[in-house]
Amino acid sequence: MRPPRRLRFSRAGWFFSGGSVLLGVAAIGTGNNLLFLMLGGMLGFITLSGWLSEQMLRRLEVRRRVARATAGAPSRITYEVRNGNRRLPAFSVEAGEARSEARGWIPVIDPAESGTARAETVWETRGVYPLKTVTLSTSFPFGLFVKERDFDVPGEVIVWPKTDRPVREPRLAGERVRNAGEAFAGSAGARGEYRGLRPYRPGDDPRDVHWKTTARVGHPVMREYERDRSRALWLCLDLRAEEGEMAEVAVEIAAGLAAAAVRRGDAFGLATQDGRVRPGAGGAQLERVLDALARARFRADAPRLEPPVPPAECVLVAAGAPGAGWGDVLTAAAGGR
């Protein structure tokens, strides 16, 4: 229901337009030719401003690039704006989401070239936020008015939960849990029996780099190990709770446990009522788990959580009262302690 183009007055524009009205009244009332001449000049400025701002926006195209964000931390949305006009550059272009105050600015976009604007925003809570409309605006040439144009650019941003919440290390009978799980033969991370060498993949542990071979071939080469079944840690997040502060604390506890497992070099997986993330290790595995946690939806009528291995071999994270039989339990009420 929004018009494709909108015009907003700046503070200077209000004063200038108001002065034009007063000058017009005075010119008509007195019949003074000098006042009519001044009025014509001011109206010409307004007309020229509207025409030039329209030329700045009419041939622009925009694309959005969204990086994953973390709740409560500043994140950037990047806009690539292309000027389809082959003769006129576009000056002073701002880009941002519709109905958002966050804007990125491009001073000039040459004809048939592209420019990049970056808008910084903060998402307070984790989740998946849909993005629909990008607004481009310009106050060129005189700053009297701001002309805006909307572009339909569907997308979404995934906001991860915080991973810096202090949590204790999981234990079973006083020892750190190294739980049974699905084996990933040859995946990087926790070490088992040596298998051989392979090219680097994102998320690999830097400690597994085979430096002699890397120096010889000119690109990273990694040692590959068989996954030891006894080293996969299963994190089970129970979604049977109402949405609220305790639910978000439980998600942050699970995220903190996953981040701690990465720092230790352990393999880990995640199970919720919504799905599972199979065991793995390294930064890429942490991203997969954080994606799943961002999408986790708490509800009181969720089914019972069925872990992929016996509950006694899992770590349960719960927002409410946990059941019995789990290897270790961390609750939101205890703050992960």
Side-chain angles (χ1 to χ4, degrees):
M1 299 299 293
R2 305 181 76 191
R5 285 168 175 75
R6 296 177 304 281
L7 193 68
R8 292 188 292 108
F9 286 80
S10 65
R11 181 186 295 270
W14 280 114
F15 282 110
F16 194 87
S17 300
S20 299
V21 172
L22 294 177
L23 186 61
V25 172
I28 294 173
T30 62
N32 190 303
N33 290 335
L34 181 58
L35 294 181
F36 278 111
L37 182 62
M38 294 176 61
L39 176 62
M42 296 179 73
L43 294 178
F45 261 69
I46 294 174
T47 303
L48 182 62
S49 178
W51 182 81
L52 286 176
S53 62
E54 174 65 21
Q55 298 308 307
M56 297 302 101
L57 297 180
R58 67 180 303 179
R59 296 185 182 274
L60 296 184
E61 301 172 356
V62 61
R63 293 191 303 172
R64 180 200 298 116
R65 293 203 313 267
V66 182
R68 290 176 173 84
T70 300
S75 61
R76 284 184 174 180
I77 302 179
T78 302
Y79 302 94
E80 291 184 359
V81 183
R82 176 173 175 78
N83 182 9
N85 196 318
R86 297 186 177 277
R87 296 182 179 180
L88 295 177
F91 294 99
S92 188
V93 177
E94 291 187 344
E97 298 301 313
R99 299 182 177 87
S100 173
E101 298 297 328
R103 289 287 188 270
W105 181 65
I106 308 174
V108 60
I109 309 174
D110 292 327
E113 297 292 336
S114 297
T116 301
R118 296 177 178 85
E120 188 172 279
T121 186
V122 176
W123 310 90
E124 295 298 337
T125 58
R126 57 99 194 175
V128 180
Y129 294 85
L131 303 175
K132 298 180 180 180
T133 304
V134 175
T135 298
L136 298 184
S137 62
T138 182
S139 58
F140 184 81
F142 309 121
L144 301 179
F145 313 100
V146 178
K147 181 166 285 188
E148 298 178 337
R149 181 183 175 189
D150 290 336
F151 295 80
D152 291 330
V153 187
E156 66 178 22
V157 57
I158 300 175
V159 181
W160 288 341
K162 299 176 183 177
T163 60
D164 57 356
R165 176 176 288 273
V167 294
R168 66 170 174 81
E169 190 173 348
R171 303 183 186 90
L172 181 62
E175 298 293 332
R176 182 165 64 87
V177 180
R178 293 190 179 275
N179 294 316
E182 301 177 17
F184 260 58
S187 59
R191 292 158 178 76
E193 183 180 353
Y194 175 74
R195 294 187 62 203
L197 301 177
R198 60 166 176 79
Y200 170 81
R201 292 196 294 260
D204 283 340
D205 192 333
R207 295 175 297 176
D208 291 336
V209 175
H210 193 276
W211 294 108
K212 290 185 178 179
T213 306
T214 296
R216 185 175 70 253
V217 301
H219 59 81
V221 176
M222 312 300 294
R223 299 183 183 91
E224 192 172 37
Y225 298 89
E226 293 283 358
R227 177 71 60 200
D228 185 352
R229 289 178 177 266
S230 66
R231 294 182 65 88
L233 172 67
W234 271 105
L235 305 175
C236 297
L237 176 63
D238 193 350
L239 303 180
R240 289 181 297 176
E242 296 290 345
E243 291 279 1
E245 182 179 356
M246 289 295 99
E248 296 307 312
V249 171
V251 171
E252 291 180 8
I253 291 172
L257 290 172
V262 171
R263 290 193 293 269
R264 294 193 302 266
D266 291 347
F268 61 96
L270 175 72
T272 71
Q273 284 91 334
D274 292 340
R276 299 175 184 174
V277 178
R278 302 179 68 187
Q285 175 69 359
L286 179 60
E287 291 184 3
R288 289 189 286 268
V289 168
L290 292 179
D291 278 353
L293 292 175
R295 300 177 185 273
R297 184 172 61 89
F298 285 83
R299 65 265 190 200
D301 60 348
R304 180 181 177 183
L305 177 59
E306 297 293 340
V309 295
E313 300 173 352
C314 298
V315 176
L316 175 67
V317 180
W326 296 90
D328 196 2
V329 177
L330 287 82
T331 63
R337 296 296 185 176

